[in-house]
Amino acid sequence: METKYIFVTGGVVSSLGKGIISSSLARLLLSRGYRVTIQKFDPYINIDPGTLNPYEHGECYVTVDGHEADLDLGHYERFTDIKTTRANNMTTGRIFQSVIDKERRGDYLGKTVQIIPHITDEIKRSVKSLGNTGKYDFVITEIGGTVGDIESTPFLEAVRQLKWELGKNALSVHLTYVPYLKAAKELKTKPTQHSVKELQAIGIQPDILILRTEKDIPPAMRRKVAQFCNVAPEAVIQSLDAPTIYKVPQMMHEQGLDNLVLQLTGTESIGEPDHAAWNEFLHKLDTATETVTIGLVGKYVELQDAYKSINESLMQAATYCNRKLNLVYIHSEKLTNSNVDEKLKGMDGVVIAPGFGQRGIEGKFVALKWCRDHDVPTFGICLGMQCMVIEYARNVLGLEDANSTEMDPNTSHNVIDLMEEQKSVSNMGGTMRLGAYECKLKKGSIPAKAYGKEIVSERHRHRFEFNDDYRERFEEAGLECVGVNPETGLVEVVQVPALRWFVGTQYHPEYQSTVLNPNPLFMSFIRAAISDKK
Ligand code: GLN
């Protein structure tokens, strides 16, 4: 069949959940047996979000091929099990860079290079590059930002042109907001009407409207929206606030979103959707009564999105262990020897978060010492693993000023050091050790048992590494290197076997944990946290 292109745009306000709607639609189409991929266009000038701090843009997600990507790609993967790559995330920066490179090469010789047609052509080329592989029945393209943003204009113009060129093979799904005015006790559709007008003024007639709302929207109100916006009444769908984002596919299916997409694109149905595995997960989520309490020690505790993939991985693993996750954020900057007991004593397990820089680092050492002393299951991820090594060096090996050269370039015990290949790097963008690398696990170690195999592949994002010169001293003192890169010997996983579950990974297992395939190491961690529960 010809590839169908679905464009998801948003209006009225941001944060309505375009990523979740796009992921849910992808999930529904996949469940029906179609070949689907999903991509995100971000209208900012950064080449990628790798140089943005979490306050700006939440977590930076990493794809298998080492692209630092928008966190929506994390949702895409968690909902669909699709392995995204750099082709699934474009920014204005990359589009412009590519056009400017072509201009310098002389590809447009003699012509004035302009937003239309050159930038828009480049956007269109990017949109279609996945579809042109012939590997997909559906390409879902989410356009970041909201209609009316100056930044999104070239993207929306490209969508307008594509809709015109592709006819029935293109579909516009527009997500808007229907606010509830408490004082008036009324839902208001006017912002939606305005948003659709804005989209129509650009030349895009939406085919499907999804209305994000806190309250049930009565059918008469939906008909009114349909009438005002030139959309069929059955194509006005509501997206009610859900107790969990993982219910959204079901909610969309019940309102016929997937059917509608097939109908409007003239796609033949190839069978009934199979939601069995997904529903089983939802059932577990609904029926768990006992909880598991996990403390997440990090410095971005006030930001829900900063540790998105870790939160989701913990939640998925807890669900499969029939537990509700009670995630407690513990601010590493505020953690001291005098309050650590009070802050950590109720935890069944503790995660030491990834991160960069000095801020909040001492609190992570305080937490780690407490966890070791109390033998609480502890999971160090990336910087968290590096902190495990530093704390062990200071308090067990007796190397008082042990540190990472990231925090103290002059430390006399650089137990964590800049990787050799990083020493010549001066550019900050996209230059870390990124993406999937193999790791060989030691037989009998916790991770080897968890994965049930000795060679695994996980994703990375770091510049510093365990300093091999100290390996023997650590191992003699009880901290073992139980996972290494088979080619370079770089230490990927450490474990203290004398403790029940004390594991640190240089890699980020949270980037490879999905609803249908939770990451084995998170599963093992949660199991330990539960079994240790007194
Ligand atoms: N800052 C550390 C490094 O660059 C850890 C990075 C991380 O936690 N992602 O190696």
Side-chain angles (χ1 to χ4, degrees), residues 48-62:
D48 60 46
T51 53
L52 295 175
N53 79 31
Y55 290 108
E56 294 278 321
H57 209 61
E59 166 188 278
C60 175
Y61 188 73
V62 179

Side-chain angles (χ1 to χ4, degrees), residues 177-213:
Y177 183 49
V178 175
Y180 177 72
L181 293 189
K182 248 201 211 126
K185 294 201 178 64
E186 263 185 273
L187 286 163
K188 291 290 181 191
T189 63
K190 190 60 121 246
T192 293
Q193 295 173 38
H194 278 300
S195 177
V196 172
K197 276 215 177 89
E198 188 95 31
L199 200 59
Q200 288 167 336
I202 296 166
I204 302 173
Q205 170 58 49
D207 301 289
I208 298 174
L209 290 177
I210 300 185
L211 313 181
R212 178 70 192 271
T213 172

Side-chain angles (χ1 to χ4, degrees), residues 354-356 382-383 386 406 461-464 508:
F356 295 83
C382 205
L383 179 66
Q386 297 176 353
E406 177 180 3
R461 183 172 187 246
H462 66 119
R463 291 186 203 279
F464 294 81
H508 292 261

